[in-house]
Amino acid sequence: TRFSAGSYRAVSRAVGAVCGAVDAVLASPFHPLPFCLVRPPGHHACYEGIDVDAGGCGFCLVNSVAAAAAYALEKHGERVTRIAIIDMDIHHGNGTQEIVQRLERVERERESGERGERE
């Protein structure tokens, strides 16, 4: 994946769009469902960026969908208890899978730590 002078701005806007969509949906039950068609794509970008096993990231710099999921859980955790990510691409979103598995592991560790503190 190559970077250019506009890459940071493009990635910032993509992540901002999906996080803004999360806020919009949760702000009002009557808000129309947003659809974010953002570039660069993101489902190959892993937690550390590049997938060391697969090599490149398929032009994916930041995983926008995983960022939105993490944002929803962090900012709206009292209302958001589950998230479904549907990847409608023709091939596997390895980065999304890796990030979600890592988030699940962190959440389990956080919950077990909180239970341990209460006991």
Side-chain angles (χ1 to χ4, degrees), residues 49-113:
I50 192 167
D51 184 336
V52 294
D53 296 325
C57 292
F59 304 106
C60 299
L61 304 175
V62 171
N63 196 312
S64 303
V65 171
Y71 175 80
L73 291 169
E74 185 65 30
K75 184 168 181 192
H76 302 285
E78 71 285 348
R79 294 180 56 206
V80 176
T81 57
R82 291 188 279 170
I83 295 174
I85 298 174
I86 302 169
D87 187 343
M88 297 175 58
D89 203 330
I90 195 165
H91 55 266
H92 179 237
N94 57 316
T96 302
Q97 179 181 346
E98 190 239 356
I99 291 170
V100 168
Q101 287 172 335
R102 190 178 285 240
L103 289 174
E104 288 173 342
R105 191 169 50 249
V106 168
E107 189 61 30
R108 281 193 303 272
E109 290 170 4
R110 181 185 300 166
E111 288 174 358
S112 66

Short mmCIF file of all heavy atoms in Angstrom, two decimals, residues 49-113:
data_model
loop_
_atom_site.label_atom_id
_atom_site.label_comp_id
_atom_site.label_asym_id
_atom_site.label_seq_id
_atom_site.Cartn_x
_atom_site.Cartn_y
_atom_site.Cartn_z
N GLY A 49 -1.50 -2.31 11.29
CA GLY A 49 -1.42 -1.77 9.93
C GLY A 49 -1.35 -2.89 8.91
O GLY A 49 -2.36 -3.44 8.51
N ILE A 50 -0.16 -3.28 8.55
CA ILE A 50 0.04 -4.30 7.53
C ILE A 50 -0.17 -5.69 8.12
O ILE A 50 0.12 -5.94 9.28
CB ILE A 50 1.44 -4.17 6.90
CG1 ILE A 50 1.55 -5.03 5.65
CG2 ILE A 50 2.52 -4.53 7.91
CD1 ILE A 50 2.78 -4.71 4.81
N ASP A 51 -0.67 -6.59 7.32
CA ASP A 51 -0.81 -7.99 7.69
C ASP A 51 0.53 -8.66 7.40
O ASP A 51 0.90 -8.85 6.25
CB ASP A 51 -1.94 -8.63 6.88
CG ASP A 51 -2.19 -10.08 7.28
OD1 ASP A 51 -1.28 -10.73 7.82
OD2 ASP A 51 -3.30 -10.56 7.02
N VAL A 52 1.26 -9.03 8.45
CA VAL A 52 2.60 -9.59 8.25
C VAL A 52 2.56 -10.95 7.55
O VAL A 52 3.52 -11.33 6.88
CB VAL A 52 3.38 -9.69 9.58
CG1 VAL A 52 3.68 -8.31 10.13
CG2 VAL A 52 2.62 -10.51 10.60
N ASP A 53 1.47 -11.68 7.69
CA ASP A 53 1.36 -12.98 7.03
C ASP A 53 1.01 -12.84 5.55
O ASP A 53 1.57 -13.53 4.70
CB ASP A 53 0.30 -13.86 7.71
CG ASP A 53 0.70 -14.19 9.14
OD1 ASP A 53 1.90 -14.36 9.41
OD2 ASP A 53 -0.21 -14.28 10.00
N ALA A 54 0.08 -11.95 5.24
CA ALA A 54 -0.40 -11.80 3.86
C ALA A 54 0.43 -10.82 3.04
O ALA A 54 0.37 -10.82 1.82
CB ALA A 54 -1.86 -11.37 3.86
N GLY A 55 1.16 -9.96 3.71
CA GLY A 55 1.93 -8.95 2.98
C GLY A 55 1.19 -7.64 2.93
O GLY A 55 0.95 -7.04 3.95
N GLY A 56 0.80 -7.19 1.77
CA GLY A 56 0.15 -5.89 1.59
C GLY A 56 -1.21 -5.79 2.22
O GLY A 56 -1.76 -6.75 2.74
N CYS A 57 -1.75 -4.62 2.16
CA CYS A 57 -3.05 -4.34 2.77
C CYS A 57 -4.11 -3.98 1.73
O CYS A 57 -5.14 -3.42 2.08
CB CYS A 57 -2.93 -3.20 3.77
SG CYS A 57 -1.98 -3.59 5.22
N GLY A 58 -3.90 -4.27 0.48
CA GLY A 58 -4.93 -4.00 -0.53
C GLY A 58 -5.39 -2.57 -0.57
O GLY A 58 -6.57 -2.31 -0.65
N PHE A 59 -4.48 -1.62 -0.46
CA PHE A 59 -4.77 -0.18 -0.44
C PHE A 59 -5.48 0.26 0.83
O PHE A 59 -5.99 1.35 0.91
CB PHE A 59 -5.56 0.26 -1.68
CG PHE A 59 -4.88 -0.10 -2.96
CD1 PHE A 59 -5.35 -1.14 -3.73
CD2 PHE A 59 -3.75 0.58 -3.36
CE1 PHE A 59 -4.71 -1.48 -4.91
CE2 PHE A 59 -3.10 0.24 -4.53
CZ PHE A 59 -3.58 -0.79 -5.30
N CYS A 60 -5.53 -0.59 1.84
CA CYS A 60 -6.18 -0.26 3.10
C CYS A 60 -5.16 0.33 4.06
O CYS A 60 -4.15 -0.29 4.37
CB CYS A 60 -6.81 -1.51 3.71
SG CYS A 60 -8.08 -2.25 2.66
N LEU A 61 -5.41 1.54 4.52
CA LEU A 61 -4.50 2.21 5.44
C LEU A 61 -4.98 2.13 6.88
O LEU A 61 -4.21 1.90 7.79
CB LEU A 61 -4.33 3.68 5.02
CG LEU A 61 -3.86 3.90 3.58
CD1 LEU A 61 -3.84 5.37 3.24
CD2 LEU A 61 -2.50 3.26 3.36
N VAL A 62 -6.26 2.35 7.09
CA VAL A 62 -6.89 2.25 8.40
C VAL A 62 -8.21 1.53 8.21
O VAL A 62 -8.92 1.74 7.23
CB VAL A 62 -7.14 3.66 9.00
CG1 VAL A 62 -7.99 3.58 10.26
CG2 VAL A 62 -5.82 4.35 9.30
N ASN A 63 -8.54 0.67 9.15
CA ASN A 63 -9.76 -0.11 9.05
C ASN A 63 -10.93 0.72 9.59
O ASN A 63 -11.19 0.73 10.80
CB ASN A 63 -9.60 -1.41 9.83
CG ASN A 63 -10.64 -2.42 9.48
OD1 ASN A 63 -11.81 -2.09 9.46
ND2 ASN A 63 -10.23 -3.64 9.23
N SER A 64 -11.62 1.42 8.72
CA SER A 64 -12.68 2.35 9.11
C SER A 64 -13.82 1.66 9.84
O SER A 64 -14.34 2.20 10.83
CB SER A 64 -13.24 3.05 7.86
OG SER A 64 -12.23 3.71 7.17
N VAL A 65 -14.21 0.48 9.40
CA VAL A 65 -15.33 -0.21 10.03
C VAL A 65 -14.96 -0.67 11.43
O VAL A 65 -15.74 -0.50 12.38
CB VAL A 65 -15.78 -1.40 9.16
CG1 VAL A 65 -16.79 -2.26 9.88
CG2 VAL A 65 -16.36 -0.90 7.86
N ALA A 66 -13.77 -1.22 11.59
CA ALA A 66 -13.33 -1.63 12.93
C ALA A 66 -13.17 -0.41 13.84
O ALA A 66 -13.47 -0.48 15.02
CB ALA A 66 -12.03 -2.43 12.84
N ALA A 67 -12.69 0.70 13.28
CA ALA A 67 -12.58 1.93 14.06
C ALA A 67 -13.95 2.39 14.53
O ALA A 67 -14.12 2.81 15.68
CB ALA A 67 -11.89 3.02 13.23
N ALA A 68 -14.95 2.31 13.66
CA ALA A 68 -16.31 2.70 14.03
C ALA A 68 -16.88 1.78 15.10
O ALA A 68 -17.56 2.24 16.03
CB ALA A 68 -17.22 2.71 12.81
N ALA A 69 -16.59 0.48 15.01
CA ALA A 69 -17.05 -0.47 16.03
C ALA A 69 -16.42 -0.16 17.38
O ALA A 69 -17.12 -0.11 18.40
CB ALA A 69 -16.73 -1.90 15.59
N ALA A 70 -15.13 0.07 17.38
CA ALA A 70 -14.43 0.41 18.63
C ALA A 70 -14.95 1.73 19.20
O ALA A 70 -15.16 1.86 20.41
CB ALA A 70 -12.92 0.47 18.39
N TYR A 71 -15.17 2.69 18.32
CA TYR A 71 -15.70 4.00 18.72
C TYR A 71 -17.09 3.84 19.35
O TYR A 71 -17.38 4.42 20.39
CB TYR A 71 -15.76 4.91 17.50
CG TYR A 71 -16.41 6.24 17.75
CD1 TYR A 71 -15.71 7.28 18.36
CD2 TYR A 71 -17.73 6.48 17.35
CE1 TYR A 71 -16.31 8.52 18.59
CE2 TYR A 71 -18.33 7.71 17.57
CZ TYR A 71 -17.61 8.72 18.19
OH TYR A 71 -18.21 9.94 18.41
N ALA A 72 -17.95 3.05 18.73
CA ALA A 72 -19.30 2.84 19.25
C ALA A 72 -19.26 2.22 20.64
O ALA A 72 -20.00 2.64 21.54
CB ALA A 72 -20.11 1.96 18.30
N LEU A 73 -18.40 1.23 20.82
CA LEU A 73 -18.30 0.58 22.13
C LEU A 73 -17.72 1.52 23.18
O LEU A 73 -18.16 1.53 24.33
CB LEU A 73 -17.45 -0.68 22.02
CG LEU A 73 -18.07 -1.83 21.23
CD1 LEU A 73 -17.04 -2.92 20.97
CD2 LEU A 73 -19.29 -2.38 21.95
N GLU A 74 -16.74 2.31 22.79
CA GLU A 74 -16.09 3.21 23.74
C GLU A 74 -16.98 4.40 24.11
O GLU A 74 -17.14 4.73 25.27
CB GLU A 74 -14.76 3.69 23.16
CG GLU A 74 -13.95 4.53 24.10
CD GLU A 74 -13.45 3.79 25.33
OE1 GLU A 74 -13.23 2.57 25.25
OE2 GLU A 74 -13.31 4.44 26.39
N LYS A 75 -17.56 5.04 23.11
CA LYS A 75 -18.33 6.26 23.36
C LYS A 75 -19.77 5.98 23.77
O LYS A 75 -20.35 6.72 24.54
CB LYS A 75 -18.32 7.16 22.13
CG LYS A 75 -19.03 8.48 22.39
CD LYS A 75 -18.83 9.50 21.34
CE LYS A 75 -19.57 10.77 21.73
NZ LYS A 75 -19.65 11.70 20.65
N HIS A 76 -20.34 4.92 23.24
CA HIS A 76 -21.77 4.63 23.47
C HIS A 76 -21.96 3.27 24.12
O HIS A 76 -22.99 2.62 23.91
CB HIS A 76 -22.53 4.67 22.13
CG HIS A 76 -22.41 5.97 21.41
ND1 HIS A 76 -23.09 7.11 21.80
CD2 HIS A 76 -21.68 6.33 20.32
CE1 HIS A 76 -22.80 8.10 20.96
NE2 HIS A 76 -21.94 7.65 20.07
N GLY A 77 -20.99 2.83 24.90
CA GLY A 77 -21.02 1.50 25.50
C GLY A 77 -22.22 1.20 26.37
O GLY A 77 -22.62 0.05 26.50
N GLU A 78 -22.81 2.25 26.94
CA GLU A 78 -23.99 2.03 27.78
C GLU A 78 -25.20 1.64 26.94
O GLU A 78 -26.14 1.03 27.42
CB GLU A 78 -24.30 3.26 28.64
CG GLU A 78 -24.83 4.47 27.89
CD GLU A 78 -23.79 5.26 27.07
OE1 GLU A 78 -22.58 5.02 27.23
OE2 GLU A 78 -24.21 6.11 26.26
N ARG A 79 -25.20 2.01 25.66
CA ARG A 79 -26.32 1.69 24.76
C ARG A 79 -25.96 0.63 23.73
O ARG A 79 -26.85 -0.05 23.22
CB ARG A 79 -26.77 2.95 24.03
CG ARG A 79 -27.36 3.98 24.98
CD ARG A 79 -27.79 5.23 24.27
NE ARG A 79 -28.73 4.94 23.22
CZ ARG A 79 -28.91 5.71 22.14
NH1 ARG A 79 -28.21 6.80 22.00
NH2 ARG A 79 -29.77 5.39 21.22
N VAL A 80 -24.70 0.50 23.41
CA VAL A 80 -24.26 -0.46 22.39
C VAL A 80 -23.66 -1.66 23.10
O VAL A 80 -22.64 -1.54 23.76
CB VAL A 80 -23.21 0.19 21.45
CG1 VAL A 80 -22.68 -0.83 20.46
CG2 VAL A 80 -23.81 1.38 20.73
N THR A 81 -24.31 -2.79 22.95
CA THR A 81 -23.81 -4.00 23.61
C THR A 81 -23.30 -5.03 22.60
O THR A 81 -22.51 -5.90 22.95
CB THR A 81 -24.89 -4.64 24.49
OG1 THR A 81 -26.03 -4.94 23.69
CG2 THR A 81 -25.28 -3.70 25.62
N ARG A 82 -23.79 -4.95 21.38
CA ARG A 82 -23.34 -5.88 20.34
C ARG A 82 -23.24 -5.13 19.02
O ARG A 82 -24.00 -4.20 18.77
CB ARG A 82 -24.33 -7.03 20.16
CG ARG A 82 -24.34 -7.97 21.34
CD ARG A 82 -25.16 -9.17 21.05
NE ARG A 82 -26.57 -8.82 21.26
CZ ARG A 82 -27.58 -9.59 20.92
NH1 ARG A 82 -27.36 -10.74 20.33
NH2 ARG A 82 -28.81 -9.24 21.15
N ILE A 83 -22.32 -5.58 18.19
CA ILE A 83 -22.11 -4.97 16.87
C ILE A 83 -21.98 -6.10 15.85
O ILE A 83 -21.30 -7.09 16.10
CB ILE A 83 -20.84 -4.11 16.85
CG1 ILE A 83 -21.02 -2.91 17.80
CG2 ILE A 83 -20.51 -3.64 15.45
CD1 ILE A 83 -19.78 -2.08 17.97
N ALA A 84 -22.63 -5.92 14.72
CA ALA A 84 -22.48 -6.86 13.60
C ALA A 84 -21.77 -6.13 12.46
O ALA A 84 -22.15 -5.02 12.10
CB ALA A 84 -23.84 -7.36 13.12
N ILE A 85 -20.74 -6.76 11.94
CA ILE A 85 -20.02 -6.21 10.79
C ILE A 85 -20.24 -7.18 9.64
O ILE A 85 -19.90 -8.35 9.73
CB ILE A 85 -18.52 -6.05 11.08
CG1 ILE A 85 -18.31 -5.06 12.23
CG2 ILE A 85 -17.78 -5.60 9.82
CD1 ILE A 85 -16.87 -4.95 12.69
N ILE A 86 -20.81 -6.67 8.57
CA ILE A 86 -21.06 -7.49 7.38
C ILE A 86 -20.16 -6.98 6.27
O ILE A 86 -20.29 -5.85 5.81
CB ILE A 86 -22.54 -7.41 6.95
CG1 ILE A 86 -23.42 -7.89 8.11
CG2 ILE A 86 -22.77 -8.22 5.68
CD1 ILE A 86 -24.89 -7.62 7.91
N ASP A 87 -19.23 -7.81 5.87
CA ASP A 87 -18.26 -7.47 4.83
C ASP A 87 -18.77 -8.04 3.52
O ASP A 87 -18.81 -9.25 3.34
CB ASP A 87 -16.89 -8.05 5.20
CG ASP A 87 -15.79 -7.61 4.27
OD1 ASP A 87 -16.10 -7.12 3.16
OD2 ASP A 87 -14.62 -7.75 4.65
N MET A 88 -19.18 -7.16 2.60
CA MET A 88 -19.79 -7.62 1.36
C MET A 88 -18.82 -7.62 0.19
O MET A 88 -19.22 -7.54 -0.95
CB MET A 88 -21.01 -6.75 1.06
CG MET A 88 -22.07 -6.88 2.12
SD MET A 88 -23.48 -5.79 1.91
CE MET A 88 -24.06 -6.22 0.31
N ASP A 89 -17.55 -7.74 0.47
CA ASP A 89 -16.54 -7.82 -0.58
C ASP A 89 -16.44 -9.26 -1.05
O ASP A 89 -16.92 -10.18 -0.39
CB ASP A 89 -15.19 -7.33 -0.03
CG ASP A 89 -14.26 -6.86 -1.11
OD1 ASP A 89 -14.35 -7.38 -2.24
OD2 ASP A 89 -13.43 -5.99 -0.83
N ILE A 90 -15.78 -9.47 -2.16
CA ILE A 90 -15.69 -10.81 -2.73
C ILE A 90 -14.64 -11.67 -2.02
O ILE A 90 -14.61 -12.88 -2.15
CB ILE A 90 -15.40 -10.73 -4.24
CG1 ILE A 90 -15.67 -12.06 -4.90
CG2 ILE A 90 -13.98 -10.25 -4.49
CD1 ILE A 90 -15.75 -12.00 -6.40
N HIS A 91 -13.79 -11.04 -1.22
CA HIS A 91 -12.76 -11.81 -0.51
C HIS A 91 -12.75 -11.42 0.97
O HIS A 91 -13.38 -10.46 1.38
CB HIS A 91 -11.38 -11.59 -1.15
CG HIS A 91 -11.01 -10.15 -1.23
ND1 HIS A 91 -11.23 -9.38 -2.34
CD2 HIS A 91 -10.45 -9.34 -0.31
CE1 HIS A 91 -10.83 -8.15 -2.11
NE2 HIS A 91 -10.35 -8.10 -0.89
N HIS A 92 -12.03 -12.18 1.72
CA HIS A 92 -12.00 -12.10 3.17
C HIS A 92 -11.41 -10.78 3.68
O HIS A 92 -10.38 -10.33 3.19
CB HIS A 92 -11.16 -13.27 3.69
CG HIS A 92 -11.02 -13.32 5.15
ND1 HIS A 92 -9.80 -13.31 5.77
CD2 HIS A 92 -11.93 -13.35 6.14
CE1 HIS A 92 -9.96 -13.35 7.07
NE2 HIS A 92 -11.24 -13.38 7.32
N GLY A 93 -12.06 -10.18 4.66
CA GLY A 93 -11.57 -8.98 5.33
C GLY A 93 -10.68 -9.36 6.50
O GLY A 93 -11.09 -9.30 7.65
N ASN A 94 -9.46 -9.78 6.20
CA ASN A 94 -8.56 -10.29 7.23
C ASN A 94 -8.26 -9.27 8.32
O ASN A 94 -8.15 -9.63 9.50
CB ASN A 94 -7.25 -10.77 6.60
CG ASN A 94 -6.57 -9.68 5.79
OD1 ASN A 94 -7.20 -8.95 5.03
ND2 ASN A 94 -5.27 -9.58 5.94
N GLY A 95 -8.15 -8.02 7.97
CA GLY A 95 -7.86 -6.99 8.97
C GLY A 95 -9.02 -6.81 9.93
O GLY A 95 -8.82 -6.70 11.14
N THR A 96 -10.23 -6.77 9.41
CA THR A 96 -11.41 -6.62 10.27
C THR A 96 -11.49 -7.78 11.24
O THR A 96 -11.72 -7.59 12.44
CB THR A 96 -12.70 -6.53 9.43
OG1 THR A 96 -12.57 -5.43 8.52
CG2 THR A 96 -13.92 -6.33 10.30
N GLN A 97 -11.28 -8.99 10.75
CA GLN A 97 -11.33 -10.16 11.63
C GLN A 97 -10.28 -10.06 12.73
O GLN A 97 -10.59 -10.28 13.91
CB GLN A 97 -11.11 -11.44 10.84
CG GLN A 97 -11.13 -12.67 11.71
CD GLN A 97 -10.88 -13.95 10.95
OE1 GLN A 97 -10.93 -13.99 9.73
NE2 GLN A 97 -10.62 -15.02 11.67
N GLU A 98 -9.06 -9.71 12.38
CA GLU A 98 -7.99 -9.64 13.37
C GLU A 98 -8.28 -8.57 14.42
O GLU A 98 -8.11 -8.79 15.61
CB GLU A 98 -6.65 -9.35 12.68
CG GLU A 98 -5.47 -9.50 13.61
CD GLU A 98 -4.65 -8.24 13.76
OE1 GLU A 98 -4.93 -7.24 13.09
OE2 GLU A 98 -3.73 -8.27 14.57
N ILE A 99 -8.75 -7.42 14.01
CA ILE A 99 -9.04 -6.33 14.95
C ILE A 99 -10.20 -6.70 15.86
O ILE A 99 -10.14 -6.48 17.07
CB ILE A 99 -9.30 -5.01 14.20
CG1 ILE A 99 -8.00 -4.52 13.55
CG2 ILE A 99 -9.89 -3.95 15.13
CD1 ILE A 99 -8.18 -3.37 12.59
N VAL A 100 -11.26 -7.27 15.31
CA VAL A 100 -12.42 -7.65 16.13
C VAL A 100 -12.02 -8.71 17.14
O VAL A 100 -12.40 -8.64 18.31
CB VAL A 100 -13.59 -8.12 15.24
CG1 VAL A 100 -14.67 -8.80 16.07
CG2 VAL A 100 -14.18 -6.95 14.48
N GLN A 101 -11.22 -9.68 16.73
CA GLN A 101 -10.77 -10.70 17.68
C GLN A 101 -9.94 -10.07 18.79
O GLN A 101 -10.06 -10.43 19.95
CB GLN A 101 -9.98 -11.78 16.96
CG GLN A 101 -10.85 -12.67 16.13
CD GLN A 101 -10.07 -13.63 15.26
OE1 GLN A 101 -8.92 -13.40 14.89
NE2 GLN A 101 -10.70 -14.74 14.91
N ARG A 102 -9.11 -9.11 18.45
CA ARG A 102 -8.30 -8.42 19.47
C ARG A 102 -9.20 -7.61 20.40
O ARG A 102 -9.00 -7.62 21.61
CB ARG A 102 -7.28 -7.51 18.79
CG ARG A 102 -6.26 -6.96 19.76
CD ARG A 102 -5.25 -6.12 19.02
NE ARG A 102 -4.33 -6.93 18.28
CZ ARG A 102 -3.02 -6.93 18.49
NH1 ARG A 102 -2.51 -6.17 19.43
NH2 ARG A 102 -2.22 -7.69 17.76
N LEU A 103 -10.20 -6.91 19.86
CA LEU A 103 -11.13 -6.15 20.69
C LEU A 103 -11.91 -7.06 21.64
O LEU A 103 -12.12 -6.72 22.80
CB LEU A 103 -12.11 -5.35 19.83
CG LEU A 103 -11.54 -4.15 19.08
CD1 LEU A 103 -12.60 -3.57 18.15
CD2 LEU A 103 -11.04 -3.10 20.05
N GLU A 104 -12.34 -8.22 21.13
CA GLU A 104 -13.05 -9.18 21.97
C GLU A 104 -12.17 -9.64 23.13
O GLU A 104 -12.62 -9.74 24.26
CB GLU A 104 -13.50 -10.39 21.15
CG GLU A 104 -14.62 -10.12 20.19
CD GLU A 104 -14.93 -11.28 19.28
OE1 GLU A 104 -14.08 -12.20 19.13
OE2 GLU A 104 -16.02 -11.29 18.71
N ARG A 105 -10.90 -9.91 22.84
CA ARG A 105 -9.97 -10.35 23.87
C ARG A 105 -9.77 -9.25 24.92
O ARG A 105 -9.81 -9.52 26.12
CB ARG A 105 -8.64 -10.74 23.21
CG ARG A 105 -7.68 -11.43 24.11
CD ARG A 105 -6.48 -12.04 23.38
NE ARG A 105 -5.81 -11.14 22.48
CZ ARG A 105 -5.82 -11.24 21.14
NH1 ARG A 105 -6.49 -12.20 20.55
NH2 ARG A 105 -5.16 -10.39 20.39
N VAL A 106 -9.62 -8.01 24.48
CA VAL A 106 -9.45 -6.89 25.42
C VAL A 106 -10.69 -6.73 26.28
O VAL A 106 -10.61 -6.53 27.49
CB VAL A 106 -9.13 -5.59 24.64
CG1 VAL A 106 -9.25 -4.37 25.55
CG2 VAL A 106 -7.76 -5.68 24.01
N GLU A 107 -11.87 -6.85 25.67
CA GLU A 107 -13.12 -6.70 26.41
C GLU A 107 -13.27 -7.81 27.45
O GLU A 107 -13.67 -7.55 28.58
CB GLU A 107 -14.31 -6.70 25.45
CG GLU A 107 -15.63 -6.35 26.10
CD GLU A 107 -15.66 -4.95 26.71
OE1 GLU A 107 -14.97 -4.04 26.22
OE2 GLU A 107 -16.38 -4.77 27.70
N ARG A 108 -12.94 -9.04 27.08
CA ARG A 108 -13.01 -10.15 28.04
C ARG A 108 -12.05 -9.90 29.21
O ARG A 108 -12.40 -10.13 30.37
CB ARG A 108 -12.69 -11.47 27.37
CG ARG A 108 -13.84 -12.05 26.57
CD ARG A 108 -13.58 -13.51 26.20
NE ARG A 108 -12.36 -13.69 25.44
CZ ARG A 108 -12.23 -13.61 24.11
NH1 ARG A 108 -13.30 -13.34 23.39
NH2 ARG A 108 -11.08 -13.81 23.51
N GLU A 109 -10.84 -9.44 28.90
CA GLU A 109 -9.87 -9.16 29.96
C GLU A 109 -10.35 -8.03 30.86
O GLU A 109 -10.20 -8.09 32.08
CB GLU A 109 -8.51 -8.81 29.35
CG GLU A 109 -7.83 -9.97 28.69
CD GLU A 109 -6.60 -9.59 27.88
OE1 GLU A 109 -6.22 -8.40 27.87
OE2 GLU A 109 -6.02 -10.49 27.24
N ARG A 110 -10.96 -7.01 30.27
CA ARG A 110 -11.49 -5.89 31.06
C ARG A 110 -12.60 -6.37 31.98
O ARG A 110 -12.64 -6.03 33.16
CB ARG A 110 -12.01 -4.80 30.12
CG ARG A 110 -12.55 -3.59 30.88
CD ARG A 110 -13.17 -2.57 29.97
NE ARG A 110 -12.21 -2.07 29.00
CZ ARG A 110 -12.54 -1.38 27.92
NH1 ARG A 110 -13.80 -1.10 27.66
NH2 ARG A 110 -11.63 -0.95 27.09
N GLU A 111 -13.52 -7.19 31.45
CA GLU A 111 -14.62 -7.69 32.25
C GLU A 111 -14.13 -8.59 33.37
O GLU A 111 -14.62 -8.49 34.50
CB GLU A 111 -15.62 -8.44 31.37
CG GLU A 111 -16.43 -7.55 30.48
CD GLU A 111 -17.32 -8.31 29.51
OE1 GLU A 111 -17.28 -9.56 29.50
OE2 GLU A 111 -18.05 -7.65 28.75
N SER A 112 -13.19 -9.46 33.11
CA SER A 112 -12.68 -10.35 34.16
C SER A 112 -11.94 -9.55 35.22
O SER A 112 -12.01 -9.86 36.40
CB SER A 112 -11.79 -11.45 33.58
OG SER A 112 -10.61 -10.91 33.04
N GLY A 113 -11.24 -8.49 34.83
CA GLY A 113 -10.56 -7.62 35.79
C GLY A 113 -11.54 -6.88 36.67
O GLY A 113 -11.34 -6.73 37.88
#
